[in-house]
């Protein structure tokens, strides 16, 4: 009996959880997965990232939950698909707005701060990640100084912050070196424009010429060196602070970038692969599984669940993310500039479906064979419906927070019920 009582007492006095590892989440704006694959295969453009991948797991088929910055970041922060976290386009009186993150959605920074970690975000000049949209929730320090983005002081500022926080930290770093591009000017030569401006440019009648595609690609690739240099400096700072080996370090992108595919340029367009296939490289603490490559379709939404798993924090209510190595559905969601709901889903590596809905007027679902049509030029639309159609219909009909409980809310309903505190939509 005494032994039984002693065991019961031991069970009541649970040992405290050990300190969590540092979590470093590096999000590169608009970084395409194919460029990273080339770098890891030895093209020499991003040597720092290639060396980092040797210590990490490379998820080669990662998909962003959204096609542009706001819903993509909100999905990473909340572990919810875009129509569930709410930070999407809305329309009021013909004007485009963006709703804030759902107040009921717990953010990664909030959960990690409750775990006892110091939290900071360095997102210089990111006006789209506005505090009024809820992106700063849970961060002890939210550094959004645009001057840092254009100076050599960006990584030193992060290093100074780290040096003053000896305990475990959650650090979000936004790298924006691909946000500007050189494009052909009308009178000849090149002009420097933001990629937000490129997002608003459609191809002229007749499409984009081969020369223009080449110039777009060269302009985009010219920014990769700066991205790699920043990543290298940041990893060096972590090593200098003695934080690298035991940290969970994740390098990914919020979305990709179309460089003429489908005669489109930029991001925020329909969920074609150039816009949603993102790099995802994860260095687990103490180099576990270093050098492994995972060739399976996964969602970057899983970053949320993987981080919580590594720091021993349960998933909050409403979170839909599952750890990256667990089997899980892969969806992409957006509301386009006409108020239409766009969704994409995958059946493993081969089949992809894109569905466009606009109330009762438009409901089109097209399937792509990604083995035989990697450029997504030959959709099968309006044919016999298969399992992927059923899975998409089931996902589309799930009740969303703040929307009617009886199935999918129409795009028209979203326009008639804007949020109380919307932000003007960024380009």
């Amino acid at each position: 009996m005494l032994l039984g009582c002693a065991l019961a007492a031991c069970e009541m006095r649970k040992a405290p959880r050990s300190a969590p590892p540092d979590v470093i989440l590096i999000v590169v704006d608009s970084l395409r997965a194919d460029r990273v694959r080339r770098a890891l295969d030895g093209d020499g453009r991003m040597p720092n990232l290639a060396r980092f991948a040797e210590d990490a797991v490379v998820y080669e088929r990662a998909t962003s939950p959204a096609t542009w910055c706001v819903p993509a970041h909100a999905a990473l922060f909340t572990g919810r698909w875009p129509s569930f976290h709410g930070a999407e386009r809305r329309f009021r009186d013909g004007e485009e707005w963006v709703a804030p993150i759902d107040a009921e959605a717990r953010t990664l920074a909030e959960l990690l701060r409750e775990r006892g970690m110091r939290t900071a975000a360095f997102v210089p000049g990111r006006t789209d990640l506005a505090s009024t949209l809820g992106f700063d929730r849970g961060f002890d320090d939210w550094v959004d100084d645009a001057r840092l983005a254009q100076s050599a002081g960006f990584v030193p500022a992060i290093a100074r912050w780290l040096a003053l926080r000896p305990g475990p930290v959650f650090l979000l770093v936004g790298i924006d070196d691909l946000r500007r591009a050189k494009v052909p000017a009308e009178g000849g030569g090149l002009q420097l424009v933001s990629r937000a401006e490129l997002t608003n440019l459609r191809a002229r009648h007749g499409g984009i010429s081969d020369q223009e595609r080449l110039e777009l690609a060269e302009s985009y690739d010219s920014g990769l060196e700066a991205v790699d240099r920043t990543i290298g400096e940041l990893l060096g700072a972590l090593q200098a602070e003695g934080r690298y080996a035991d940290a969970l370090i994740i390098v990914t992108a919020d979305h990709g970038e179309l460089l003429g595919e489908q005669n489109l340029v930029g991001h925020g367009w329909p969920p074609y692969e150039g816009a949603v296939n993102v790099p995802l490289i994860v260095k687990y603490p103490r180099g576990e599984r270093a050098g492994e490559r995972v060739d399976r379709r996964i969602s970057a939404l899983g970053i949320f669940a993987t981080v919580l798993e590594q720091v021993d924090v349960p998933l909050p209510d409403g979170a839909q993310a599952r750890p990256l190595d667990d089997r899980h559905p892969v969806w992409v969601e957006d509301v386009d500039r006409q108020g239409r709901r766009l969704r994409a889903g995958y059946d493993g590596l081969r089949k992809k479906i894109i569905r466009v809905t606009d109330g009762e007027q438009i409901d089109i679902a097209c399937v792509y064979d990604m083995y035989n049509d990697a450029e997504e030029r030959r959709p099968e639309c309006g044919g016999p419906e298969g399992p992927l159609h059923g899975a998409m219909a089931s996902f589309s009909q799930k009740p969303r927070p703040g929307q009617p409980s009886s199935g999918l809310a129409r795009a028209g309903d979203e326009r008639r019920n804007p949020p109380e505190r919307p932000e003007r939509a960024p380009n």
Side-chain angles (χ1 to χ4, degrees), residues 70-357:
V70 170
H73 276 89
L76 292 178
F77 284 19
T78 65
R80 297 185 180 198
W81 304 113
S83 62
F84 288 86
H85 65 54
E88 297 186 294
R89 289 186 178 95
R90 299 289 189 272
F91 296 85
R92 182 171 63 189
D93 299 329
E95 210 169 1
E96 182 181 330
W97 301 79
V98 179
I101 297 172
D102 191 316
E104 299 299 319
R106 305 297 309 285
T107 71
L108 192 58
E110 288 173 327
L111 295 164
L112 297 188
R113 185 165 66 179
E114 290 174 3
R115 179 71 168 90
M117 304 173 71
R118 291 298 301 268
T119 59
F122 285 79
V123 287
R126 293 302 299 267
T127 55
D128 48 355
L129 304 183
S131 298
T132 51
L133 294 177
F135 284 106
D136 64 345
R137 282 169 37 194
F139 285 101
D140 295 309
D141 298 290
W142 181 263
V143 182
D144 186 16
D145 187 342
R147 293 170 296 182
L148 283 178
Q150 305 300 324
S151 74
F154 182 44
V155 173
I158 296 173
R160 288 192 295 272
W161 186 91
L162 287 168
L164 296 174
R165 277 81 184 175
V169 301
F170 169 47
L171 178 62
L172 168 71
V173 180
I175 298 179
D176 297 342
D177 295 295
L178 296 175
R179 287 177 68 84
R180 296 173 68 80
K182 293 178 180 179
V183 300
E186 288 188 7
L190 298 175
Q191 60 179 336
L192 191 65
V193 302
S194 72
R195 292 201 175 274
E197 292 177 54
L198 283 183
T199 299
N200 293 327
L201 295 179
R202 279 186 176 272
R204 294 183 297 278
H205 292 296
I208 297 175
S209 69
D210 291 342
Q211 180 61 29
E212 287 172 320
R213 290 177 193 275
L214 178 62
E215 291 170 347
L216 284 167
E218 289 178 345
S219 171
Y220 179 86
D221 291 345
S222 68
L224 297 176
E225 181 181 350
V227 169
D228 188 66
R229 181 170 58 250
T230 302
I231 290 174
E233 291 173 356
L234 180 56
L235 297 176
L238 293 171
Q239 291 169 336
E241 287 291 323
R243 293 179 179 267
Y244 179 85
D246 293 334
L248 173 67
I249 304 174
I250 301 170
V251 177
T252 189
D254 48 357
H255 51 76
E257 188 82 353
L258 293 173
L259 300 174
E261 296 95 336
Q262 313 294 338
N263 284 331
L264 296 173
V265 180
H267 52 269
W269 297 117
Y272 298 117
E273 289 301 286
V276 298
N277 183 206
V278 294
L280 179 52
I281 306 174
V282 181
K283 189 199 80 66
Y284 289 95
R286 297 167 298 281
E288 295 175 4
R289 301 166 59 194
E292 183 179 335
R293 290 199 175 191
V294 177
D295 189 20
R296 176 170 55 82
R297 185 81 62 184
I298 64 166
S299 174
L301 193 76
I303 291 172
F304 179 89
T306 296
V307 169
L308 295 184
E309 183 179 60
Q310 289 290 315
V311 301
D312 195 21
V313 172
L315 282 172
D317 292 341
Q320 297 154 311
R322 295 296 177 266
L324 294 169
D325 294 308
D326 289 0
R327 297 284 176 177
H328 57 265
V330 178
W331 302 112
V332 184
E333 292 195 298
D334 196 6
V335 176
D336 71 10
R337 292 169 180 80
Q338 287 73 48
R340 297 173 300 196
R341 167 66 66 186
L342 281 68
R343 290 192 171 101
Y346 298 83
D347 181 7
L349 294 178
R350 179 153 198 164
K351 295 291 187 178
K352 174 180 180 178
I353 188 171
I354 295 180
R355 184 184 185 190
V356 182
T357 57

Side-chain angles (χ1 to χ4, degrees), residues 364-375:
I364 302 172
C366 298
V367 175
Y368 297 81
D369 184 338
M370 303 305 293
Y371 281 0
N372 299 313
D373 182 26
E375 295 184 353

